[in-house]
């Protein structure tokens, strides 16, 4: 029964999920939806800089915050903040 509920939730999510808004990619970072206006699409696992907001300022201090793309697309229908930039990959 739990497996069936999970399958139905995934089907509902897939029918409502959008991947672009106004021609710009939409991604999930830390449970919140953001818009990416960059020329190269983001992928899950990409590190990005997010603009400061009142919560990030309290938690991390002033300035942008680094996050990681956790999902492509969103089911959220409100206004979105823009991702400031992609963080270049580190050489390891």
């Amino acid at each position: 029964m739990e497996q069936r509920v999970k399958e139905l939730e995934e089907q509902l999510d897939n029918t409502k999920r959008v991947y672009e808004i106004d021609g710009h990619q939409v991604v999930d970072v830390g449970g919140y939806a953001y818009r990416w206006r960059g020329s190269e699409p983001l992928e899950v696992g990409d590190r990005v800089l997010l603009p400061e907001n009142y919560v990030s300022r309290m938690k991390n201090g002033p300035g942008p915050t680094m996050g990681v793309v956790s999902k492509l697309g969103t089911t959220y229908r409100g206004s979105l903040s823009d991702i400031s930039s992609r963080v270049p990959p580190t050489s390891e």
Side-chain angles (χ1 to χ4, degrees):
M1 179 72 135
E2 288 178 20
Q3 180 63 30
R4 182 67 179 140
V5 169
K6 184 177 179 180
E7 290 171 2
L8 290 172
E9 286 174 341
E10 287 175 5
Q11 287 175 0
L12 181 60
D13 179 86
N14 289 336
T15 61
K16 294 186 176 228
R17 183 163 292 275
V18 294
Y19 296 90
E20 279 190 6
I21 294 177
D22 297 331
H24 301 287
Q25 184 182 20
V26 179
V27 297
D28 183 289
V29 179
Y32 296 95
Y34 290 89
R35 181 176 36 220
W36 171 241
R37 295 177 184 255
S39 58
E40 294 295 319
L42 294 171
E43 297 180 18
V44 171
D46 283 348
R47 296 180 312 146
V48 294
L49 282 182
L50 305 173
E52 175 186 321
N53 61 45
Y54 70 97
V55 174
S56 69
R57 186 175 181 88
M58 287 188 298
K59 289 173 71 175
N60 306 314
T65 303
M66 192 176 78
V68 177
V69 175
S70 54
K71 264 187 183 176
L72 301 179
T74 187
T75 57
Y76 177 70
R77 294 294 186 256
S79 62
L80 302 175
S81 294
D82 290 332
I83 292 172
S84 301
S85 66
R86 175 183 281 169
V87 176
T90 57
S91 312
E92 296 179 81

